[in-house]
Amino acid sequence: MEYEIGLDLGVQSIGWAVKVGDKLVKLGVHCFDSGTGTADDIEKGKDESRNAARQTARQLRRQFQRRSQRSVAVARALQQTGLLPTVDEKGVPYNVGLAENRDRLIKDLDWELYSKFINDGDRVEAHLLPYLLRARALDKKLEPYEFGRALYHLAQRRGYLSNRKTVKESEDGGEDEGKVKAGISELASAIKDKNCRTLGEYFSKLDPEEKRIRQQYTARQMYLDEFDAIWEKQTQFNPSLTDEAKDLIHRAIFFQRPLKSMRSKLGKCELVPGKRRAPVACLEFQRFRYWQKILDLKYMDDSGNWLELTPVELQLLEKELELNESLTFAEIKKLLGLKRNVKINLAEGGETKILGNVTAARLRKALPDRWDAMSEKEHSDLVNEILQFEREDALAKRLIKVFQLTPTEAQTVAATFLENGWAMYSKAALRKLLPYMLEYLKSFATAAKELFNIQKKQSEALDLLPPVETELGRLRNPVVTRSLTELRKVVNSIIRHAKKEGWGGKSGKPSRIFIELARDMKKSRREREIDYNQNRKREKERENARKKIVQEAGIKEPKPNDILKVLLAQECNWQCPYTGKTITMSNLFGDHPQFDIEHILPFSRSLDNS
């Protein structure tokens, strides 16, 4: 007795049904925890791993430990160079390896400095003692312990250091990064307006009881500049401040370990065995990405036939996509001289635009006078340099040295963030694919099959579905992994039951399986968040249209078709596209409406109700 299985695969449930012959014999729903949050969280792109809380706690512990280790290293370096005392007035050693001893050392030292630098009863100066020492160090001689106290305080707050590889790009260009940099820029302007030379000098003139000093964003370079300025001045008064002492203290304060390489985690190319995947920002992938789209692009003519782009149209699109980060389908229609109502196949799947050469567009904007004059090799070398560096200042120095950019150009390029992530294929594969696709104007699927002899994988028939990781390897999407794992449980349970019932012969296997997939399951969190926000935006537009109908047309319960009328009228700027007549709420609805929804492509022929 043959039987069929129907499956509806979701992120937190699997609907299933079994049909023997023409009879539906069993059906049900298997519910499970997605492992990354509720279905609502997944839809909004707000889901997170169950390990997130543990990872955050571990990260905080590491940061606390590293901060403590830095404090120990700075205190020992200052003691070693004679800038902090090693014993107290009773001869008891300060073992700075212990937090309580470092605290005792600083408090004992501050107690002595208060009587020397702070006027009795001056609460503001009492708060500002370390900043007063840092400001004084710019012009006057400080005793060794006084200078050591200023340096120890400077080491406690090192400022923000941008790491280009940890910035998460968002639609608005990185909200958190922008907020920090804006705060740093405001502070730099305030320092300049007050005619202050260093950060410490500026803070020494503030009243911390009016505005907290620590609530301001500071940059690492501000601390580096202040360290150099006060060290250079104090060497004039203290010959023991040698270059070796400076290097020792500078390293203790400012050393920062580089990011751990994640290259071992990088996936392998599916087309060229052994090769690592290429960065999304590399020029090879940027061009491959838009050519893949425009070779797949088709539009419908007046007779309802799908037409491919001509070589001339392809060249027009290539030129614009090479110059711009993206082109919407409306812009593409205008560029190709197509009517506004012409259907494009890629838009049917919910896409709204084609991404262009984002890397080239951003670097052209950063180097308007140089990018187009550079050779293709120089373009590629420049992008490779940008992708390798973590720090903006180091990258800027490299660009000045290797590419002879001006300091301003180098800083602009270093501050330009390229797309994050990795492509599915290696540079070796892309360098073979793209020329082949352009020469023969073939789609990626066809070109890949012909170039790399891709054959459909014929796997051995199994009695039951194997574990997901065994068959597919380690997937990076936990939502997909959990859903496929639960799907395996459901299907294997049905097969075992089928054997008992005598369905599907000795093996108990179904003759056919029908699967409906959740469309958004494989999307990233960022993509799901964008989709969710767009849906909420459309809901708000429909709600506004509904209120407009209730208030102006007097219809208490507007139908979906009524709301659609208003939205379409708004698209047409309340003017009939055929007659030019003005559309109003009264002649759109009323007892004798003068306007209705027109199907430019007749529904009876196109079966398209859009």
Side-chain angles (χ1 to χ4, degrees):
M1 297 175 63
E2 292 188 350
Y3 74 100
E4 299 172 349
I5 300 176
L7 298 165
D8 183 358
L9 185 59
V11 296
Q12 283 192 311
S13 64
I14 297 174
W16 60 271
V18 178
K19 183 180 176 185
V20 180
D22 294 331
K23 185 178 179 181
L24 186 65
V25 295
K26 285 186 179 293
L27 73 163
V29 177
H30 172 66
C31 299
F32 55 90
D33 184 357
S34 70
T36 60
T38 65
D40 190 46
D41 290 334
I42 294 172
E43 181 188 3
K44 293 178 181 178
K46 302 295 184 184
D47 57 310
E48 60 180 18
S49 168
R50 284 181 170 183
N51 291 332
R54 182 170 63 89
Q55 291 169 349
T56 300
R58 182 175 60 191
Q59 183 182 20
L60 290 174
R61 291 196 301 271
R62 284 177 174 174
Q63 289 175 345
F64 180 81
Q65 181 187 30
R66 289 169 182 170
R67 193 177 295 116
S68 177
Q69 289 173 343
R70 186 171 72 246
S71 297
V72 172
V74 171
R76 284 177 175 166
L78 292 172
Q79 284 184 333
Q80 185 176 336
T81 52
L83 298 178
L84 280 183
T86 56
V87 297
D88 61 16
E89 57 183 10
K90 297 180 181 179
V92 179
Y94 289 118
N95 180 11
V96 293
L98 299 176
E100 54 269 26
N101 279 352
R102 292 198 305 277
D103 182 62
R104 181 167 63 89
L105 185 157
I106 296 302
K107 287 181 177 178
D108 289 348
L109 185 57
D110 282 352
W111 185 256
E112 296 178 13
L113 297 177
Y114 276 132
S115 59
K116 182 175 180 180
F117 293 101
I118 307 301
N119 297 318
D120 290 339
D122 194 327
R123 296 179 60 189
V124 173
E125 287 190 352
H127 286 302
L128 295 174
L129 174 63
Y131 295 108
L132 294 172
L133 290 174
R134 286 163 58 177
R136 187 181 181 88
L138 289 167
D139 302 303
K140 300 179 181 179
K141 177 184 177 181
L142 293 182
E143 296 302 323
Y145 292 168
E146 296 168 2
F147 185 44
R149 178 67 182 97
L151 291 176
Y152 187 82
H153 182 260
L154 186 141
Q156 289 180 301
R157 300 283 182 274
R158 301 193 302 172
Y160 171 75
L161 179 64
S162 174
N163 191 309
R164 307 180 71 260
K165 295 192 175 184
T166 60
V167 174
K168 293 184 178 179
E169 186 179 9
S170 61
E171 280 191 310
D172 55 6
E175 182 180 353
D176 293 338
E177 180 84 1
K179 183 179 178 181
V180 172
K181 288 193 172 183
I184 291 173
S185 179
E186 290 176 6
L187 178 60
S189 298
I191 293 174
K192 186 176 181 180
D193 292 342
K194 290 280 188 179
N195 293 320
C196 295
R197 293 161 289 178
T198 64
L199 182 69
E201 185 179 21
Y202 172 74
F203 284 156
S204 70
K205 297 181 179 180
L206 299 182
D207 184 349
E209 295 186 356
E210 292 182 3
K211 182 179 180 180
R212 288 194 63 186
I213 292 176
R214 291 186 184 178
Q215 288 182 337
Q216 302 187 61
Y217 292 113
T218 58
R220 177 69 55 83
Q221 192 61 43
M222 294 176 176
Y223 291 85
L224 290 167
D225 293 341
E226 181 173 356
F227 178 87
D228 290 338
I230 62 178
W231 187 276
E232 183 179 354
K233 186 64 179 179
Q234 292 304 307
T235 53
Q236 300 175 12
F237 307 113
N238 189 345
S240 66
L241 299 178
T242 61
D243 291 340
E244 290 76 12
K246 180 181 179 180
D247 292 340
L248 177 67
I249 297 171
H250 189 282
R251 178 177 175 80
I253 296 175
F254 296 111
F255 171 76
Q256 185 162 319
R257 60 177 55 81
L259 288 176
K260 184 179 179 181
S261 173
M262 301 300 290
R263 185 166 179 80
S264 61
K265 305 290 185 182
L266 185 58
K268 299 290 183 67
C269 176
E270 296 180 359
L271 300 178
V272 181
K275 293 290 186 179
R276 297 284 183 181
R277 296 178 177 182
V280 166
C282 74
L283 295 173
E284 291 88 346
F285 177 76
Q286 293 284 309
R287 293 183 176 121
F288 165 79
R289 179 173 61 185
Y290 70 69
W291 268 110
Q292 181 184 3
K293 288 293 183 182
I294 63 178
L295 286 173
D296 288 339
L297 188 147
K298 297 178 182 178
Y299 62 90
M300 185 179 286
D301 64 9
D302 295 337
S303 302
N305 301 316
W306 288 104
L307 302 179
E308 296 182 351
L309 299 182
T310 65
V312 174
E313 291 171 332
L314 288 172
Q315 289 178 3
L316 275 174
L317 268 182
E318 177 199 16
K319 182 179 179 181
E320 289 302 313
L321 288 168
E322 185 68 24
L323 295 173
N324 297 282
E325 292 192 27
S326 66
L327 286 179
T328 65
F329 290 128
E331 292 170 334
I332 290 173
K333 291 176 185 178
K334 184 177 180 181
L335 178 67
L336 301 180
L338 303 177
K339 297 177 182 178
R340 289 180 58 187
N341 61 318
V342 167
K343 293 177 65 174
I344 291 180
N345 62 335
L346 298 181
E348 300 296 298
E351 297 182 55
T352 59
K353 62 184 178 181
I354 294 179
L355 290 176
N357 194 333
V358 177
T359 298
R362 292 181 181 178
L363 291 178
R364 182 178 289 104
K365 186 177 180 181
L367 298 170
D369 300 326
R370 299 189 60 142
W371 177 260
D372 290 325
M374 296 168 70
S375 66
E376 192 60 35
K377 183 179 184 304
E378 288 175 323
H379 286 166
S380 183
D381 291 344
L382 177 60
V383 173
N384 290 337
E385 292 285 355
I386 293 172
L387 294 176
Q388 289 177 19
F389 276 79
E390 296 177 4
R391 290 172 48 189
E392 288 185 19
D393 55 344
L395 174 58
K397 291 178 183 177
R398 175 73 174 174
L399 295 177
I400 293 171
K401 180 180 179 181
V402 177
F403 294 91
Q404 285 77 49
L405 299 185
T406 65
T408 302
E409 290 175 333
Q411 288 293 342
T412 305
V413 172
T416 300
F417 291 100
L418 306 182
E419 289 180 283
N420 291 321
W422 302 89
M424 292 291 292
Y425 313 107
S426 64
K427 287 186 179 180
L430 296 174
R431 287 167 182 160
K432 286 185 178 181
L433 276 169
L434 189 55
Y436 190 86
M437 291 164 63
L438 298 184
E439 182 178 356
Y440 299 104
L441 295 182
K442 293 189 175 183
S443 67
F444 160 70
T446 305
K449 186 175 181 180
E450 294 177 1
L451 269 177
F452 299 98
N453 194 25
I454 297 175
Q455 301 293 332
K456 190 174 181 180
K457 185 180 178 182
Q458 297 292 336
S459 55
E460 181 183 346
L462 303 173
D463 293 334
L464 296 170
L465 290 179
V468 175
E469 194 165 333
T470 301
E471 185 66 18
L472 302 178
R474 191 176 183 86
L475 303 179
R476 300 300 298 271
N477 191 325
V479 176
V480 174
T481 302
R482 175 59 63 89
S483 295
L484 292 181
T485 300
E486 298 300 322
L487 174 67
R488 171 178 175 262
K489 295 178 183 179
V490 172
V491 172
N492 287 348
S493 296
I494 292 174
I495 292 174
R496 293 190 189 100
H497 182 77
K499 283 185 179 181
K500 295 179 182 178
E501 297 292 335
W503 306 333
K506 293 182 179 180
S507 66
K509 296 177 183 178
S511 57
R512 288 195 294 181
I513 298 179
F514 300 87
I515 302 179
E516 181 179 353
L517 298 175
R519 187 195 304 178
D520 298 337
M521 184 184 297
K522 67 178 182 180
K523 290 186 176 181
S524 68
R525 287 192 179 100
R526 182 62 187 157
E527 290 172 327
R528 294 198 302 270
E529 183 180 1
I530 292 172
D531 288 346
Y532 177 80
N533 292 335
Q534 288 177 342
N535 290 337
R536 300 295 80 76
K537 181 181 178 182
R538 285 194 289 268
E539 284 180 5
K540 187 176 181 179
E541 289 172 353
R542 293 183 64 85
E543 178 61 21
N544 291 337
R546 190 192 70 80
K547 290 179 180 178
K548 186 178 181 69
I549 295 171
V550 172
Q551 294 172 1
E552 299 183 20
I555 301 174
K556 294 183 179 180
E557 294 294 335
K559 297 178 181 178
N561 204 53
D562 296 334
I563 295 173
L564 181 57
K565 274 187 177 183
V566 173
L567 294 176
L568 291 173
Q570 289 173 349
E571 273 191 35
C572 298
N573 294 321
W574 295 92
Q575 186 177 35
C576 175
Y578 297 103
T579 65
K581 291 182 179 180
T582 300
I583 304 172
T584 63
M585 292 297 288
S586 59
N587 60 27
L588 189 61
F589 298 105
D591 295 332
H592 302 286
Q594 300 176 25
F595 299 92
D596 204 345
I597 296 172
E598 169 70 5
H599 285 80
I600 300 171
L601 296 176
F603 176 68
S604 59
R605 292 180 59 188
S606 67
L607 302 180
D608 185 346
N609 200 34
S610 63

